Amino acid sequence: EDEDNGVFISDGTVDAVVFRTPSPLDAPVATEVLRAGKDAIGEKPMATSRDEAETLIAAEGNSTGKLYILEQVVHKPIVAALRSELERGSIGTVHHAEYVIHTRIAGGAEDTTGGYGDTAWRRDATFPLGALFDAGVHDLALLQSLFGAPRRVVANGQKFREGFGSADLVSALLEYDDGVTVSLVHSGALAKRRDLFFVRGTDAVLEVDGTQLRRWHAPDHKTEETVDGPHPSATMWNGIVDSITGGVAPWYDARRALTDIETLLAIDRSI
């Protein structure tokens, strides 16, 4: 594996290296690729510590290559529709959001993630938190695309099984500028039924349910629409191609990826 990486990285005919490595290897591999002067296209989270992230950002700054992070959730059509609603003030002044995400990352038949729980590096996690750091970074990227970077984090964590990191259930309050507070609940261990996402303003409430966007103007009055559009992975890859060929910077760059890592580390410190 390391030998194979070295072959690609040292090959003078290779301009970019795409890698999908376990989270603890993302930053070291990306740093090596950038130091070789090639584009590094890799998984989130960008790194598992601030030191790793700063080393990686410095490597990009000194390289002719660029770092591209495979974060697709921010490109979901429903996220773009929600952001549009907030930007035009359709629910008044936003003060609060509730975001509840449950998956079951476990071994064997109990797993609901297509085998994530059968990977040793997730079972014996060496990075902070566990499932929230590895998978929940998608959700923090989504929140950042709506509200920016949080300025204060308070969190509580619970651990009730062997392995899979230091927290099986995380409850966090994220405070943003303009008086927005987000209640985030994330679990990689509990039974999954339905995720919840509500954004509450002074005039109405927005609810995201899969591809459904609902506007609640009163308890018994709502409007609803199905939001369709390109697959988020296609939008993500098209953005990377546009950046490589035309110099258009992708929205989820190293700076924003670092913001999400800092938020995760703040949650870990708070717990």
Side-chain angles (χ1 to χ4, degrees):
E1 314 256 358
D2 288 337
E3 279 186 0
D4 290 341
N5 288 338
V7 168
F8 286 114
I9 292 169
S10 62
D11 189 334
T13 65
V14 174
D15 297 318
V17 177
V18 180
F19 53 95
R20 300 191 65 190
T21 48
S23 292
L25 296 180
D26 289 341
V29 172
T31 299
E32 188 178 357
V33 171
L34 290 166
R35 286 175 175 167
K38 305 179 189 302
D39 291 331
I41 306 172
E43 281 287 352
K44 52 73 213 157
M46 178 178 73
T48 58
S49 71
R50 184 175 179 86
D51 286 346
E52 277 189 345
E54 289 179 342
T55 298
L56 180 52
I57 290 171
E60 183 185 30
N62 294 322
S63 177
T64 55
K66 294 296 181 184
L67 174 65
Y68 300 98
I69 300 156
L70 300 174
E71 175 50 68
Q72 73 274 21
V73 170
V74 296
H75 299 294
K76 284 185 175 183
I78 192 72
V79 176
L82 179 57
R83 185 163 52 245
S84 178
E85 293 282 336
L86 298 180
E87 288 173 349
R88 67 186 182 87
S90 69
I91 61 171
T93 303
V94 175
H95 287 289
H96 189 252
E98 299 136 61
Y99 195 15
V100 179
I101 313 104
H102 288 285
T103 57
R104 190 191 286 274
I105 301 175
E110 290 187 7
D111 187 88
T112 63
T113 60
Y116 278 24
D118 291 320
T119 50
W121 64 271
R122 288 189 176 96
R123 289 197 310 271
D124 305 316
T126 59
F127 46 89
L129 297 171
L132 179 60
F133 207 101
D134 173 46
V137 68
H138 285 302
D139 306 299
L140 290 177
L142 185 158
L143 291 173
Q144 187 182 172
S145 76
L146 298 175
F147 306 117
R151 56 182 175 82
R152 185 168 179 265
V153 174
V154 179
N156 177 66
Q158 296 181 48
K159 180 69 183 167
F160 37 78
R161 63 174 178 169
E162 293 291 326
F164 298 100
S166 60
D168 291 317
L169 172 65
V170 174
S171 302
L173 283 179
L174 311 178
E175 295 182 4
Y176 296 82
D177 290 335
D178 301 324
V180 177
T181 299
V182 175
S183 303
L184 173 68
V185 177
H186 188 282
S187 172
L190 298 178
K192 182 178 180 65
R193 176 61 183 90
R194 179 185 171 203
D195 294 337
L196 303 173
F197 193 9
F198 293 92
V199 182
R200 301 180 186 274
T202 51
D203 299 334
V205 177
L206 290 170
E207 177 188 2
V208 174
D209 184 4
T211 61
Q212 300 297 115
L213 182 62
R214 302 186 183 101
R215 304 168 193 83
W216 295 89
H217 300 280
D220 57 350
H221 174 65
K222 69 176 179 180
T223 58
E224 183 173 6
E225 65 177 294
T226 300
V227 180
D228 295 318
H231 194 283
S233 292
T235 304
M236 176 192 72
W237 278 108
N238 286 336
I240 291 173
V241 171
D242 288 344
S243 181
I244 292 173
T245 60
V248 180
W251 183 84
Y252 198 73
D253 57 10
R255 178 178 61 84
R256 288 192 169 95
L258 177 59
T259 293
D260 289 335
I261 290 168
E262 289 175 329
T263 302
L264 288 163
L265 294 174
I267 290 172
D268 186 53
R269 289 193 301 271
S270 182
I271 293 173

